Amino acid sequence: MPVTTVEKDLDQLTITIVADFTASLQRLWDAYLDPRQIERFWGPPTYPATFLRHDAVSGGRSVYKMTGPTGDEHYGCWEWEALTPGTSFEVVDWFADATGAPNTELPSTRMTLTFEATGTGSRLTSIAKFGSLEQLEQLVEMGMLEGTREAMSQIDAVLADLAAFAADRAVDAQFLSDTQVRVARVIRGPLDEVWRAHTDAELMKQWLLGPDGWTMPVCEIATNVGDTYRYEWEPAGGGQGFGFTGELLESEAPTRAVTTEAMIGTDFPATRNELTLTPVETGTLLTLVITYANVEQRDAILATGMTDGMETSYARLEGLIGNNVPA
């Protein structure tokens, strides 16, 4: 068990948990910032978590659900108040509804997580602060301490699983629900360069091509929220092409962009694409959460080999910015 101490301070309305790990500080930090990793330990074993959104940046939001043994689902959300890279972050943790909106009828918890290197690895200090003694006692009675201990007991296994989240791993696609898929990959390059690669038309034309043998003659970028974009591809030797268009719904440079996406010339429903970029030890973690209209649309699009084409494009992108890989 990594948990070494648990202290309740009724005067300060806090619960402090200290946990020690043999993994490095950077490895522990990355585990909390990567949605694929944190969801393997945030919930207790009987209520595993799925992170539907995870903006590890001050002002960002995270939305997660915990699924019980009978299929019951319980939602929560974080409001990111502050973040100091590699050192600490502070969030307000709320109960939420299925849309990720906070449930203000239940108490929230302000959590400050501090990370530090030790002589044997790393240490995490988690301080949960409550609005009142009644709220503290209510959450303790709901099993908060037991659930936290059970959840933290899973972190060691995640930290030891280096291969699953290595920088040389290809595009990873995971079903989040019947209508949502999360695509993730570490791009070996700095955050600003990866963001620029998604917002510079001339650069996009060099890498966002899918399989070899295609060109991108049309790349019209949406610069401001409310703008529309248009991307078109065609075979290098001529022939039938295709394209997508959509609207920029949200943009928080250089970490988040949300767009709609519809295939030109068809009546297929538009998808909602949420791009998040997070700096990690080996480069920039790119996560793309795609929301489809229904399960049939999800399966049809995945059957086209979408992830293979994305992997080819991301590998090509690394070749363009490879000289700037973090040390």
Side-chain angles (χ1 to χ4, degrees):
M1 292 283 288
V3 175
T4 53
T5 64
V6 178
E7 296 182 359
K8 285 194 294 184
D9 187 328
L10 300 183
D11 292 329
Q12 296 297 318
L13 301 177
T14 59
I15 295 177
T16 301
I17 299 175
V18 178
D20 287 286
F21 305 90
T22 57
S24 70
L25 171 61
Q26 186 66 53
R27 181 73 186 91
L28 179 62
W29 174 261
D30 285 352
Y32 273 83
L33 267 61
D34 186 337
R36 301 170 299 168
Q37 299 184 59
I38 190 173
E39 66 187 11
R40 291 176 60 186
F41 62 79
W42 183 248
T46 53
Y47 278 85
T50 300
F51 273 74
L52 308 173
R53 174 175 175 176
H54 195 45
D55 304 342
V57 62
S58 180
R61 296 189 72 239
S62 296
V63 177
Y64 62 90
K65 65 177 178 180
M66 293 183 178
T67 305
T70 62
D72 50 308
E73 295 181 339
H74 307 270
Y75 288 82
C77 67
W78 289 358
E79 296 176 352
W80 288 73
E81 299 286 308
L83 179 144
T84 302
T87 301
S88 66
F89 65 81
E90 182 177 329
V91 299
V92 179
D93 188 13
W94 293 86
F95 292 90
D97 63 20
T99 69
N103 182 346
T104 56
E105 295 181 358
L106 290 172
S108 63
T109 307
R110 181 174 295 273
M111 299 189 303
T112 302
L113 280 70
T114 302
F115 302 74
E116 58 182 313
T118 65
T120 57
S122 55
R123 172 171 294 163
L124 169 66
T125 302
S126 173
I127 302 176
K129 186 170 181 59
F130 304 87
S132 67
L133 181 59
E134 291 74 22
Q135 290 182 2
L136 187 157
E137 292 175 338
Q138 179 183 0
L139 290 173
V140 169
E141 289 176 2
M142 292 171 66
M144 173 185 172
L145 287 180
E146 292 80 2
T148 300
R149 283 182 178 274
E150 291 179 359
M152 283 193 167
S153 71
Q154 305 171 105
I155 301 181
D156 278 337
V158 176
L159 298 179
D161 187 7
L162 298 174
F165 307 102
D168 58 357
R169 183 178 173 87
V171 165
D172 179 30
Q174 177 185 353
F175 290 168
L176 300 181
S177 69
D178 286 345
T179 58
Q180 285 188 308
V181 172
R182 183 177 63 218
V183 177
R185 190 188 194 279
V186 174
I187 307 295
R188 285 172 288 195
L191 174 65
D192 288 345
E193 288 290 320
V194 178
W195 176 263
R196 186 171 71 88
H198 286 80
T199 56
D200 183 313
E202 293 308 312
L203 187 54
M204 288 182 69
K205 288 181 179 181
Q206 299 178 57
W207 71 269
L208 190 59
L209 302 173
D212 292 337
W214 286 80
T215 64
M216 190 180 187
V218 177
C219 184
E220 300 172 359
I221 301 290
T223 304
N224 301 306
V225 171
D227 289 350
T228 59
Y229 68 89
R230 187 181 183 93
Y231 305 149
E232 295 183 23
W233 295 267
E234 62 183 30
Q240 182 65 42
F242 69 97
F244 292 97
T245 186
E247 179 183 352
L248 180 62
L249 303 178
E250 300 177 32
S251 181
E252 295 292 339
T255 58
R256 179 174 169 83
V258 181
T259 60
T260 60
E261 181 181 273
M263 180 172 280
I264 297 170
T266 74
D267 57 0
F268 298 149
T271 63
R272 176 183 172 93
N273 298 352
E274 301 179 51
L275 173 72
T276 302
L277 302 179
T278 306
V280 293
E281 182 177 16
T282 51
T284 300
L285 171 64
L286 179 152
T287 58
L288 180 66
V289 176
I290 307 171
T291 303
Y292 300 93
N294 49 56
V295 66
E296 291 78 16
Q297 183 190 23
R298 181 200 72 182
D299 291 345
I301 291 178
L302 290 178
T304 65
M306 177 190 78
T307 55
D308 291 339
M310 295 175 75
E311 171 57 27
T312 302
S313 290
Y314 291 145
R316 191 180 291 116
L317 169 58
E318 284 188 329
L320 292 175
I321 62 176
N323 292 332
N324 295 319
V325 174

